[in-house]
Amino acid sequence: MRLIDSIRQNGFETVSIIGLAKNAGKTVALNYLIEEAENNNIKIGITSTGRDGENTDLVTQTQKPSVYVREGMYAATAKKTLLLSDAKTEILETTGISTPMGEVIIVKVRQGGNIQIAGPVNVTDMKYVAGRLKHFGAQIVFIDGAIDRKAVSSPAATDACIMATGAVLSRDMKKVIEKTAHAVECYTLKQTTDEIKRIVSKKNKTCIILHDGSVIVPEIKTSITGGKKISELIDENAACVFVKGAVTTALLKDLWENKYLRGIEVIIEDGTKLFTDINVWNEMRQKGLKVVTLNSINVVAVTLNPVSPAGYFFDSALFRESMERHIPAVKIVDVVSGGDAE
């Protein structure tokens, strides 16, 4: 089944595309999906949490592929970027949402061409804009994410996400596969029980849930700096611990010093909140660290870019086969070389 069909079949209406590094192939993946949507007569909308479609990456100064939109598509982008695009568009609505490139505007493409997109940067505004794109006729909204704005792939913002990975992560293919598999594992952690969700929702703070259902809320400013205080409150009566916000390597190390943690679950909001060193994470997981989420993330596919802007590249077939072996539960698509299997 082709990727666009998988998205439709699962009923996903908003899908984020998240790159695991700059130049991992997000824009290539977006262009691929735009073409697939047109081939299947699916009306789509696009927007971005960063800025995409410019000829040169503003950070790395490397050449970037353009975003090519087709007639009948919808887009949400900042006013100034429209002046830099050669696609002909009709303004449908102004949103009142400000960005460094001007107000975000909803447009319909009347004549195909290259376009630059720069949309909202926070989850609330992104949900609103995606809703407006769907209101005007988009059956699926694709959000081009940014490496430093993972929250857009949170279940609070979108129905599913696509991870873009590639040779740019490392010259060593094994390391690229390891990093990608780690990201997928973090994003697809299992959900906790409905009862635990109910208890956590009442407090909405970092807390320790005891076997009798009672809750202890540690007196901390943030979870990031409060690891040791949280750990001090975990004893044989603890059933699980919920960590609100970011979960860092330092926090996990602080918690792991407590011997009682071996028998309980650490609950996080979702996989976008994990900011952990891969080696520390793997070691703790092997020793029995149990991490679950309040909300799981649907990773609908991993897209591959076997070419690095630095001038090296991987064997496309080997790259795809190796990734499929290490991540068997997720669809793997080589958007540069191999395309998508039927």
Side-chain angles (χ1 to χ4, degrees):
M1 182 183 295
R2 302 189 74 83
L3 178 53
I4 196 74
D5 296 323
S6 296
I7 293 168
R8 287 297 304 278
Q9 190 175 80
N10 282 287
F12 299 141
E13 295 182 351
T14 53
V15 180
S16 60
I17 306 171
I18 301 297
L20 297 187
K22 274 192 167 293
N23 300 304
K26 284 191 300 96
T27 304
V28 177
L30 178 60
N31 280 327
Y32 173 77
L33 288 163
I34 289 171
E35 183 178 358
E36 286 290 285
E38 183 181 51
N39 292 340
N40 288 270
N41 297 313
I42 299 170
K43 295 294 184 185
I44 66 169
I46 62 171
T47 189
S48 173
T49 58
R51 181 182 174 187
D52 290 281
E54 68 272 31
N55 294 327
T56 304
D57 190 291
L58 300 178
V59 176
T60 63
Q61 296 302 307
T62 54
Q63 289 296 113
K64 289 186 62 176
S66 301
V67 176
Y68 189 86
V69 291
R70 315 300 175 93
E71 183 180 346
M73 280 180 54
Y74 300 89
T77 188
K79 187 175 182 180
K80 290 181 182 178
T81 63
L82 285 178
L83 302 176
L84 301 172
S85 306
D86 57 34
K88 300 297 186 290
T89 60
E90 173 192 354
I91 294 176
L92 301 177
E93 182 177 270
T94 56
T95 65
I97 297 170
S98 299
T99 77
M101 296 293 289
E103 183 180 5
V104 176
I105 297 171
I106 309 291
V107 300
K108 184 173 185 177
V109 180
R110 291 303 184 187
Q111 183 178 319
N114 295 322
I115 194 171
Q116 292 194 27
I117 47 174
V121 297
N122 66 57
V123 170
T124 301
D125 289 343
M126 184 58 74
K127 285 181 68 175
Y128 174 78
V129 164
R132 298 310 294 165
L133 287 167
K134 287 186 282 187
H135 167 78
F136 284 109
Q139 295 166 280
I140 304 172
V141 175
F142 290 109
I143 302 169
D144 199 326
I147 188 172
D148 56 344
R149 293 176 185 146
K150 294 195 298 182
V152 74
S153 58
S154 154
T158 56
D159 300 327
C161 80
I162 294 169
M163 283 189 183
T165 188
V168 70
L169 270 71
S170 173
R171 289 179 178 270
D172 186 338
M173 186 189 296
K174 290 182 180 179
K175 289 184 178 179
V176 175
I177 293 170
E178 182 183 41
K179 290 177 181 179
T180 306
H182 171 65
V184 171
E185 179 190 1
C186 292
Y187 267 45
T188 56
L189 290 169
K190 293 181 179 179
Q191 288 189 130
T192 188
T193 65
D194 289 340
E195 176 61 17
I196 294 298
K197 284 184 181 181
R198 184 187 64 79
I199 294 172
V200 167
S201 66
K202 285 185 176 181
K203 295 295 182 181
N204 197 29
K205 294 180 179 179
T206 292
C207 60
I208 298 158
I209 302 169
L210 306 184
H211 288 293
D212 63 6
S214 58
V215 177
I216 299 174
V217 179
E219 293 183 6
I220 56 174
K221 291 183 178 180
T222 68
S223 297
I224 294 177
T225 58
K228 292 189 183 300
K229 287 189 176 180
I230 298 169
S231 182
E232 289 171 0
L233 298 172
I234 299 173
D235 58 22
E236 67 273 12
N237 297 311
C240 54
V241 54
F242 167 63
V243 180
K244 184 172 177 63
V247 178
T248 62
T249 300
L251 173 60
L252 284 182
K253 283 183 174 180
D254 287 341
L255 296 180
W256 195 243
E257 290 177 0
N258 188 310
K259 64 180 181 179
Y260 295 106
L261 194 74
R262 275 63 167 176
I264 68 175
E265 291 182 337
V266 175
I267 305 163
I268 64 175
E269 292 176 80
D270 60 65
T272 67
K273 302 298 189 294
L274 279 170
F275 299 88
T276 56
D277 176 82
I278 186 171
N279 295 319
V280 174
W281 170 266
N282 288 339
E283 181 183 355
M284 288 185 177
R285 293 284 276 175
Q286 289 168 6
K287 290 181 178 178
L289 176 67
K290 301 173 184 177
V291 182
V292 295
T293 67
L294 291 181
N295 302 292
S296 61
I297 297 173
N298 296 305
V299 180
V300 67
V302 172
T303 63
L304 309 181
N305 180 3
V307 181
S308 168
Y312 63 90
F313 58 91
F314 298 151
D315 178 275
S316 298
L318 178 60
F319 189 30
R320 179 170 180 164
E321 289 167 8
S322 299
M323 196 69 76
E324 287 175 338
R325 281 199 307 273
H326 285 81
I327 313 176
V330 177
K331 188 176 184 64
I332 308 297
V333 184
D334 183 343
V335 293
V336 175
S337 305
D340 195 0
E342 293 284 358

